[in-house]
Amino acid sequence: MAEIVIETRNLTKVYRDFWGRQKVRALNALDLDVRRGEIFGLLGPNGSGKTTTIKLLLGLLFPTSGQAMVLGRDATDVSKNQRIGYLPEESYLYRFLNAEETLDFYGRLFNMPRQLRRQRTYDLIEQVKLGWAKRRQLKEYSKGMTRRIGLAQALINDPELLLLDEPTTGLDPIGIREMKDLILDLRKQGKTILMCSHRLDDVQDVCDRIAILHQGELKELGRVDALLKVRDVTEIHATRLSTQACEEVKQVIERHGGQVLSIGNPTATLEELFVKIIRESEAHPGRRIRADQHEADESGNGHAGDAQRTA
Amino acid sequence: MEITDWYLKSFDEWLRVGPINGLITIVGLFAAVLVLGGLFALLRAGPKAAVISVVWGLREALLDVARLSPRRAWAVGLLTIKESIRRKVVIVFAVFILLLLFGAWYLDPASVDPAKLYLDTVLTATCYLVLLMVLFLSTLSLPADIRSRTLHTVVTKPVRKSEIVLGRIAGFTIVGTVLLCLMGAVSYVFVLRGLMHHHQIEPADLELAEKTWSEPWEAATPRPPLRLRTTRVHGHRHFIYIEPVAKPAAEGKVRSEYPAEGSISTEMEAGHWHSFEYRFQRGPDGRARLTCTVGREEGVFQARAPVFGTLRFKDRAGKDADRGISVGEEWTYRSYIHGGTAAAAIWTFEGITEDNYPEERYPQGLPVEMTISVFRSHKGDIEKGVLGSLSVGNPRTGETVLVSMFPAKEFAVDTQFIPRKLRDKQGRMRDLFTDLADQGRLEIWLRCEDPNQYFGVAQADLYIRAHDAPFWLNFAKGYLGIWLQMLVIAAFGVMFSTFLSGPIAMLATAATLVGGMYAEEIGRVARHELYGGGPVEAFIRMVRQQNVTSEMEPGLRTTLAQMTDTALEFFLRIVAAMLPDLGKYHFADYVAHGLNVSGDMLAKCSLSVLGFLVPLFVLGYLFLKNRELP
Ligand SMILES: Nc1ncnc2c1ncn2[C@@H]1O[C@H](COP(=O)(O)OP(=O)(O)OP(=O)(O)O)[C@@H](O)[C@H]1O
Ligand SMILES: [Mg+2]
């Protein structure tokens, strides 16, 4: 079994007001293990304690009781930060710096030599596609751009462990896709990622294991595929199947005592459509869609794939 | 100007008491922090956890301070500088220039002591501006980071809290330093240019001089010097005297002539003089023509480096006394000696040797400067001034020799030279260094010779003006003083901002600043040195419109008031011990009065500022370390 990177034992956080009176029990006796090389998703509705958990893991907050260990050290130990990257909920960056200065500053905090700092800054700005705006102060950035530079800053030290707090909010669908690809890519490089989100599709797409929090309590924990598997439903994907063939398949199923729930052409998700269009537009800049072409698309066989789904 | 003990004490003398008091305060402070932290943990988690957390906390703190990386701290410092620049601190400089422009309008170079006025103005303006700027910057910046959570992203990097605090303090210091240097350079030019002026010779005098010069003089009496007056500029004019050269002539008469050319200087006026070069030439028509130039002003700005002595008194009966008498108007700084009696003020100087005061450098003898305040019990002769006498004495043998009798110059610095050779009452020649000084120790006795008049003196009122330091250097030291104050304020600002919100931190720092300016007075209240009792008693007197010296009527109320006062005074004493006495680092008065700020003074100030910086840094670190960043 892989090495445990994050470990919380009975982790509890109670927010108190100035007078020490209890305000909110944001996290209650959380036990979590995150293993090296996996993508772990923290799920939960708003106010369920996801951000609180991440802040406890970073040592920004001190636990009311229980313990959080990160990379084998106590969460409040600064030296663990050497190997950690953190993308906050919103990118909390200095708005008077530009992209290059931002990355340079965080690089300095890692005591990186100048040459390496330059290199990393250049690479990361390219990676998050901000080359065109790298000299602009962050206060002029749009939300998504800020998010991207936030991500770049989290990667400045090539961290082993990434803590991403809602990595996809504020990004356009392309950005979301890129972010997901990046996350998967990072896992390929052997990094461990803890992310929290309430966008289920994101989590579903990338996470190996998830934990679901509600009102500070752990409600569910396990592998995504195992959790999502609907054991009494079978899925068949086929292509180039005539209507008649479909009918036959249906009969076969019924003969075996099964029940056909639906047969039809699947629709792509809007996300897939959007991503496809933008990718095409990037490949052929300047091409515009004409109204008649649009209509033709609509009446004819559209973007929906030619696969048929039987369940 | 009152010169404090702080200025008079040498570094070595101060080193014996100052740092120890400081250390006691610091150790006390940290003991209090430790105890409070322990108590807090005790209440929250019980005794065992408390002990563990205190020990652990100490270990962590030591590690964090010991492992501090200058490079990371510098990253934070650089960020701070950028932040300040992008927040347009340059505006402060613009405001400063505006102030100077207004100042140029209002400052009158014809006033009594224009150099003092100009210096005081620029130094004070710079001081206030820079301190205010640092106050704002240092207190608002960390809280803004915490509120906008930009600090989250920073502290999740391997940077230590100690580096953040240090980097912040350093960043603000650098910003302030650059501004201060700019302001200093501009001020220097401003002051110099403001008082720069040129005189001409009055045309009427010019003609008269030409005529007089041509006239021969042969008489039994010496010829009076040739007098020229300059034009009036900046509200003053100078006189120039060309001394005649006498040659014996026939029949016991003297023939006097004024030299045809010379390079002399004008008389002193308004605190300065000018060089003067002239030349008489006879034209083809036989008439004399005078060509001359009055040079730039000199001696406007000074940095006298005084050597002070210790002061003791003799009372009217000639017995030793620690203090003179009080005439009731000023109650501590000066004390008075009674005229026409045996009362005397005696300064004892050290290091009065031929080696220290060689003839080449001090041809006229030992230069002594004094400022005497006169208290008149009767009008006397206002015109003549009250008569005083100066003697030197041998501290071992008790021998004294009269140096001079003089009318006291009130409100002005009087310079006297003590010659190398002095004639005593018996007519013997006495040598200043071998006969009167005892191994370099020499006494200077001041007496008031007019019966029933009084001289008021303080230790710093009479000193040996051993040499002058370069003025520009002293000016720079004035700015160094502001720099030290700025450092203290930046450190307080950052320290408060690690645990208070922006506005509150600003208030706290401002209170420290104001408290620091009145630290001296607060200390006096705490030490019960003021008339009218402690705070509560004084308040009761005020409400009842009672005299400050009359006894309070005994009773429960008075006892209660006085007990409260004792408690308050104890508290005040703690406050006073922790307040930075900013006045000590404020050299503006010395610079403006033309007194050199000595190296000892700088050493004392730097060390005591360090005594604030280190604990403030540690406190700031502790607060930041132990707070959550939600
Ligand atoms: N600084 C704070 N002071 C008091 N209560 C807080 C604070 N921060 C969070 N809380 C409370 O703690 C609980 C958990 O908050 P948290 O931010 O962890 O939720 P979250 O799961 O991240 O929600 P979201 O999806 O909206 O980001 C909430 O009830 C919230 O009100
Ligand atoms: Mg959140």
Side-chain angles (χ1 to χ4, degrees):
Chain A
M1 199 170 182
E3 172 198 352
I4 288 175
V5 173
I6 293 178
E7 185 180 3
T8 71
R9 289 286 160 265
N10 199 23
L11 189 63
T12 303
K13 178 68 195 174
V14 175
Y15 285 108
R16 295 176 188 276
D17 67 5
F18 181 77
W19 306 107
R21 287 177 303 198
Q22 178 163 346
K23 266 206 313 204
V24 196
R25 181 170 282 266
L27 202 60
N28 199 7
L30 179 69
D31 288 317
L32 268 190
D33 290 322
V34 176
R35 306 193 190 106
R36 184 170 293 282
E38 71 176 347
I39 303 179
F40 192 96
L42 265 183
L43 253 67
N46 294 131
S48 54
K50 304 184 292 293
T51 303
T52 303
T53 309
I54 289 200
K55 284 184 178 166
L56 284 165
L57 292 176
L58 285 166
L60 291 171
L61 298 177
F62 308 140
T64 308
S65 67
Q67 212 186 7
M69 303 286 286
V70 177
L71 293 167
R73 293 167 199 256
D74 193 85
T76 50
D77 187 344
V78 268
S79 56
K80 73 173 192 313
N81 293 352
Q82 198 76 41
R83 302 188 281 159
I84 286 186
Y86 165 55
L87 173 66
E89 205 167 359
E90 286 161 40
S91 296
Y92 303 128
L93 301 169
Y94 290 100
R95 290 158 53 78
F96 55 85
L97 296 178
N98 65 32
E100 281 184 331
E101 289 171 328
T102 303
L103 295 187
D104 188 69
F105 168 62
Y106 291 112
R108 279 170 189 270
L109 294 187
F110 282 97
N111 249 340
M112 281 187 192
R114 172 202 282 265
Q115 202 55 44
L116 180 61
R117 238 163 42 218
R118 284 232 184 106
Q119 189 59 42
R120 293 291 298 165
T121 303
Y122 180 81
D123 292 349
L124 285 169
I125 287 181
E126 286 306 305
Q127 189 175 354
V128 298
K129 305 214 164 58
L130 282 174
W132 55 283
K134 63 182 174 192
R135 293 274 156 74
R136 281 167 63 181
Q137 288 187 22
L138 299 197
K139 64 178 165 218
E140 299 171 9
Y141 273 27
S142 72
K143 191 169 176 198
M145 287 160 78
T146 323
R147 216 58 201 138
R148 284 160 188 265
I149 189 70
L151 177 68
Q153 110 3 79
L155 295 173
I156 186 88
N157 56 330
D158 194 17
E160 280 170 43
L161 168 65
L162 270 155
L163 300 161
L164 308 176
D165 198 343
E166 309 204 358
T168 53
T169 45
L171 291 177
D172 54 22
I174 300 287
I176 293 181
R177 175 58 65 86
E178 279 168 4
M179 175 69 83
K180 288 193 224 167
D181 289 347
L182 177 80
I183 292 173
L184 292 171
D185 198 43
L186 288 169
R187 176 179 56 184
K188 244 181 252 159
Q189 295 168 26
K191 321 249 178 220
T192 314
I193 292 156
L194 174 82
M195 60 180 271
C196 70
S197 180
H198 37 231
R199 294 204 34 175
L200 306 178
D201 44 349
D202 295 349
V203 176
Q204 185 183 346
D205 286 349
V206 298
C207 289
D208 300 317
R209 290 202 306 144
I210 55 169
I212 297 180
L213 287 177
H214 187 225
Q215 296 179 342
E217 309 255 2
L218 185 63
K219 296 293 178 189
E220 185 67 80
L221 177 70
R223 294 197 60 81
V224 176
D225 40 14
L227 287 176
L228 292 184
K229 187 175 276 175
V230 187
R231 295 189 188 281
D232 53 353
V233 176
T234 311
E235 224 180 19
I236 302 172
H237 288 249
T239 186
R240 277 191 238 110
L241 212 60
S242 64
T243 326
Q244 197 203 338
C246 281
E247 209 46 47
E248 276 175 33
V249 170
K250 199 170 162 189
Q251 282 165 7
V252 169
I253 290 170
E254 273 163 6
R255 194 155 5 103
H256 287 277
Q259 191 190 355
V260 177
L261 296 175
S262 76
I263 287 187
N265 300 107
T267 47
T269 58
L270 185 55
E271 185 193 335
E272 281 169 44
L273 173 68
F274 186 93
V275 169
K276 192 174 157 205
I277 290 176
I278 301 295
R279 290 254 159 92
E280 269 173 17
S281 144
E282 273 175 353
H284 309 281
R287 195 158 83 184
R288 278 201 190 171
I289 193 160
R290 288 194 312 275
D292 50 331
Q293 189 189 337
H294 186 65
E295 234 115 84
D297 277 356
E298 233 169 56
S299 58
N301 34 11
H303 291 275
D306 30 22
Q308 285 183 317
R309 181 185 287 176
T310 322
Chain B
M1 175 194 187
E2 293 189 5
I3 290 178
T4 54
D5 260 6
W6 177 247
Y7 185 80
L8 295 175
K9 250 192 204 139
S10 75
F11 182 63
D12 296 339
E13 259 176 289
W14 172 77
L15 209 52
R16 261 172 257 144
V17 275
I20 291 174
N21 282 340
L23 271 183
I24 292 173
T25 314
I26 293 169
V27 168
L29 186 67
F30 282 107
V33 168
L34 212 65
V35 166
L36 279 179
L39 270 181
F40 190 68
L42 189 77
L43 289 181
R44 273 187 53 175
K48 198 175 147 212
V51 171
I52 290 175
S53 76
V54 166
V55 172
W56 188 255
L58 269 178
R59 195 194 92 103
E60 288 266 289
L62 282 178
L63 277 182
D64 270 355
V65 175
R67 296 227 187 110
L68 187 145
S69 145
R71 270 172 76 184
R72 282 195 297 254
W74 172 236
V76 178
L78 206 63
L79 179 86
T80 309
I81 296 171
K82 275 189 190 153
E83 181 182 19
S84 309
I85 293 173
R86 308 260 154 104
R87 277 194 183 163
K88 311 253 181 324
V89 277
V90 200
I91 290 178
V92 178
F93 189 62
V95 169
F96 178 70
I97 298 289
L98 269 180
L99 276 183
L100 281 194
L101 289 180
F102 270 107
W105 203 287
Y106 286 111
L107 294 179
D108 181 11
S111 59
V112 182
D113 195 346
K116 177 171 164 291
L117 180 71
Y118 269 66
L119 288 172
D120 236 357
T121 310
V122 289
L123 280 162
T124 311
T126 320
C127 186
Y128 279 117
L129 266 178
V130 169
L131 289 192
L132 269 184
M133 180 198 76
V134 168
L135 173 78
F136 272 88
L137 284 180
S138 66
T139 50
L140 294 184
S141 166
L142 254 187
D145 267 17
I146 292 170
R147 219 186 38 214
S148 71
R149 300 186 184 169
T150 40
L151 198 62
H152 285 33
T153 325
V154 175
V155 298
T156 50
K157 304 286 180 263
V159 62
R160 290 168 194 271
K161 303 279 168 73
S162 49
E163 290 154 359
I164 295 179
V165 173
L166 186 67
R168 284 286 176 191
I169 297 179
F172 296 126
T173 305
I174 290 171
V175 171
T177 309
V178 171
L179 262 181
L180 208 54
C181 287
L182 284 177
M183 289 180 175
V186 172
S187 307
Y188 190 67
V189 174
F190 175 80
V191 170
L192 246 51
R193 301 265 328 190
L195 295 187
M196 194 171 85
H197 61 275
H198 292 283
H199 295 275
Q200 247 80 50
I201 301 296
E202 286 284 354
D205 283 13
L206 212 57
E207 253 170 64
L208 194 65
E210 281 165 357
K211 219 167 90 206
T212 319
W213 184 72
S214 327
E215 285 166 5
W217 178 286
E218 245 188 77
T221 53
R223 193 173 194 178
L226 180 57
R227 195 190 72 165
L228 292 164
R229 288 173 307 165
T230 67
T231 48
R232 188 172 278 277
V233 182
H234 283 184
H236 68 270
R237 66 162 90 239
H238 299 265
F239 291 102
I240 300 162
Y241 295 101
I242 301 176
E243 296 290 340
V245 180
K247 282 183 199 137
E251 300 154 33
K253 283 189 180 170
V254 199
R255 187 152 131 211
S256 283
E257 270 175 8
Y258 299 108
E261 56 189 313
S263 172
I264 55 179
S265 47
T266 69
E267 291 292 291
M268 185 102 151
E269 194 60 61
H272 69 276
W273 71 92
H274 298 255
S275 62
F276 179 70
E277 282 179 27
Y278 71 92
R279 156 178 254 180
F280 287 101
Q281 273 169 316
R282 242 175 244 289
D285 55 351
R287 271 192 61 197
R289 302 208 62 70
L290 172 59
T291 46
C292 61
T293 44
V294 183
R296 282 276 308 275
E297 67 283 347
E298 275 169 66
V300 182
F301 301 107
Q302 295 177 329
R304 291 166 281 153
V307 171
F308 292 108
T310 52
L311 176 60
R312 64 192 174 93
F313 290 90
K314 293 254 184 229
D315 67 11
R316 46 185 308 162
K319 286 218 261 328
D320 282 332
D322 279 344
R323 296 186 51 80
I325 50 177
S326 163
V327 292
E329 14 172 57
E330 289 168 277
W331 71 280
T332 52
Y333 186 62
R334 291 201 165 86
S335 55
Y336 286 78
I337 48 176
H338 198 156
T341 68
I346 305 156
W347 282 267
T348 310
F349 291 92
E350 312 252 346
I352 310 298
T353 58
E354 184 69 56
D355 288 346
N356 288 345
Y357 299 92
E359 181 129 31
E360 312 86 71
R361 270 197 64 194
Y362 304 92
Q364 288 169 278
L366 205 58
V368 171
E369 286 194 350
M370 52 191 170
T371 322
I372 297 167
S373 108
V374 176
F375 179 79
R376 292 164 188 270
S377 67
H378 58 90
K379 222 157 66 192
D381 189 346
I382 290 282
E383 285 292 300
K384 252 183 64 202
V386 177
L387 207 61
S389 73
L390 212 57
S391 319
V392 285
N394 185 322
R396 192 171 46 88
T397 61
E399 174 190 357
T400 59
V401 178
L402 181 72
V403 177
S404 68
M405 301 276 272
F406 57 91
K409 280 191 195 170
E410 291 176 58
F411 315 114
V413 178
D414 189 5
T415 309
Q416 304 239 348
F417 290 92
I418 301 178
R420 269 183 179 61
K421 301 276 180 221
L422 291 154
R423 196 174 289 278
D424 71 2
K425 269 191 222 122
Q426 288 83 44
R428 288 181 300 167
M429 285 304 277
R430 308 297 285 160
D431 184 90
L432 184 64
F433 295 114
T434 55
D435 298 332
L436 291 165
D438 173 45
Q439 290 171 340
R441 278 160 48 84
L442 181 74
E443 288 178 350
I444 296 185
W445 291 56
L446 175 76
R447 281 208 169 89
C448 178
E449 300 294 343
D450 270 351
N452 292 326
Q453 307 287 33
Y454 297 83
F455 277 175
V457 289
Q459 190 187 349
D461 282 344
L462 186 146
Y463 53 83
I464 298 171
R465 186 177 179 178
H467 67 276
D468 279 15
F471 169 72
W472 65 266
L473 191 62
N474 206 32
F475 187 78
K477 286 178 193 163
Y479 277 81
L480 191 66
I482 301 178
W483 188 79
L484 290 176
Q485 296 177 58
M486 179 194 82
L487 220 63
V488 174
I489 292 303
F492 265 100
V494 170
M495 188 276 286
F496 280 128
S497 72
T498 53
F499 68 102
L500 296 173
S501 74
I504 306 294
M506 197 155 84
L507 271 183
T509 315
T512 311
L513 180 67
V514 174
M517 286 173 171
Y518 293 100
E520 185 73 42
E521 278 75 10
I522 296 178
R524 250 188 243 154
V525 174
R527 276 174 269 126
H528 212 104
E529 279 178 17
L530 296 183
Y531 292 122
V536 177
E537 192 183 320
F539 181 73
I540 294 175
R541 285 181 197 275
M542 216 160 74
V543 171
R544 293 218 189 142
Q545 304 194 334
Q546 223 171 26
N547 182 320
V548 288
T549 45
S550 62
E551 279 289 315
M552 298 277 282
E553 51 191 87
L556 183 62
R557 235 186 320 164
T558 306
T559 316
L560 269 182
Q562 281 165 352
M563 270 163 66
T564 322
D565 276 346
T566 311
L568 271 178
E569 279 163 8
F570 178 71
F571 174 72
L572 270 182
R573 209 175 293 191
I574 294 175
V575 170
M578 289 199 283
L579 275 178
D581 190 346
L582 293 177
K584 281 182 179 170
Y585 319 133
H586 196 66
F587 305 149
D589 278 352
Y590 301 112
V591 176
H593 278 86
L595 280 173
N596 183 42
V597 179
S598 64
D600 274 24
M601 182 89 161
L602 292 181
K604 276 183 289 183
C605 290
S606 308
L607 201 63
S608 88
V609 164
L610 202 66
F612 277 101
L613 293 188
V614 173
L616 283 174
F617 159 67
V618 175
L619 272 186
Y621 155 74
L622 284 179
F623 286 132
L624 194 60
K625 170 102 183 165
N626 291 302
R627 78 172 281 173
E628 293 190 318
L629 299 168

